[in-house]
Amino acid sequence: VVSIALLRNEFVIKLDREIAAKLIAQERLDAHQKQFSNSVGSERSTWESTRKALLEQLDEETGQRVHLQRRVVDLEHKAAADFESQRYVWEQSRNVLMLDQQHSVQREADKDRELKLLHDEINGLRAGMGNLWQGNTTFS
C-alpha cells in the first residue's frame, strides 16, 4: 500500500511538473503571439502607409504622364501644322520659280524670234542694197 502511495505521489509530482512546464510553455507562446501580433500590427501599419504613399506617387506620376502625353500630342500637331505651312510656302515658291522660268524661256524665245526677224530684215536690206549697187554700176 505504501509503495502504491509513493508511486502515486511520484506520478502526481511528475504530472504537476509536466502541467507546470506546459503552463510555462503556454505563457511563453502567448507572449510570443502577443509580440507577433504587435509586430504584425506595426508591419501592417507600415505596409498600409507605404502602400498609400506609393499610390499617391503613382497618381502623381500618372498625372505627369498624362500631361506629358498631351504635350507630345500638342507638339506633334504643331509640328504637322508647321510642316504643312512650310510645304505650302515651298510649293508657292516653287510655282513662282517655275512661272519665272517659263517667262524667261518665253522671253528668250521672243528675243530669238525678234533677232531672227531682224537678221531676216537686215539680210533683205542687204540684198536690196546689193541690187541697188549693182543697178548703179550698170547705169553708170
Side-chain angles (χ1 to χ4, degrees):
V1 184
V2 177
S3 71
I4 293 180
L6 284 175
L7 283 173
R8 189 171 159 242
N9 280 343
E10 267 185 51
F11 179 73
V12 169
I13 292 171
K14 190 176 180 184
L15 191 57
D16 285 343
R17 282 184 189 156
E18 285 181 15
I19 290 173
K22 286 183 181 182
L23 287 173
I24 291 169
Q26 185 64 42
E27 286 175 6
R28 286 182 184 164
L29 182 61
D30 289 345
H32 284 301
Q33 271 186 323
K34 185 176 182 183
Q35 183 182 5
F36 179 74
S37 292
N38 289 341
S39 177
V40 166
S42 174
E43 289 294 321
R44 182 179 182 93
S45 174
T46 301
W47 178 81
E48 285 176 355
S49 63
T50 302
R51 181 178 175 270
K52 183 179 177 186
L54 288 173
L55 286 173
E56 288 172 358
Q57 182 180 357
L58 179 64
D59 287 345
E60 183 180 321
E61 288 175 359
T62 300
Q64 289 174 351
R65 188 175 299 122
V66 167
H67 172 74
L68 289 175
Q69 286 173 340
R70 286 182 184 149
R71 182 78 175 123
V72 165
V73 168
D74 290 345
L75 289 173
E76 286 174 344
H77 288 300
K78 184 181 181 315
D82 288 348
F83 174 78
E84 286 300 315
S85 174
Q86 289 294 356
R87 188 173 66 87
Y88 176 78
V89 167
W90 178 81
E91 286 177 355
Q92 293 303 317
S93 299
R94 183 184 59 139
N95 290 342
V96 166
L97 288 173
M98 287 176 66
L99 284 173
D100 186 49
Q101 183 181 12
Q102 287 174 353
H103 288 289
S104 293
V105 168
Q106 186 64 40
R107 283 192 298 269
E108 288 297 318
D110 291 346
K111 285 180 185 177
D112 286 346
R113 272 195 302 276
E114 285 181 35
L115 190 59
K116 185 177 182 315
L117 288 174
L118 284 174
H119 279 240
D120 289 348
E121 190 175 329
I122 288 171
N123 287 337
L125 288 173
R126 281 186 184 157
M129 285 180 75
N131 287 339
L132 282 176
W133 279 104
Q134 282 179 358
N136 278 341
T137 50
T138 45
F139 291 120
S140 332

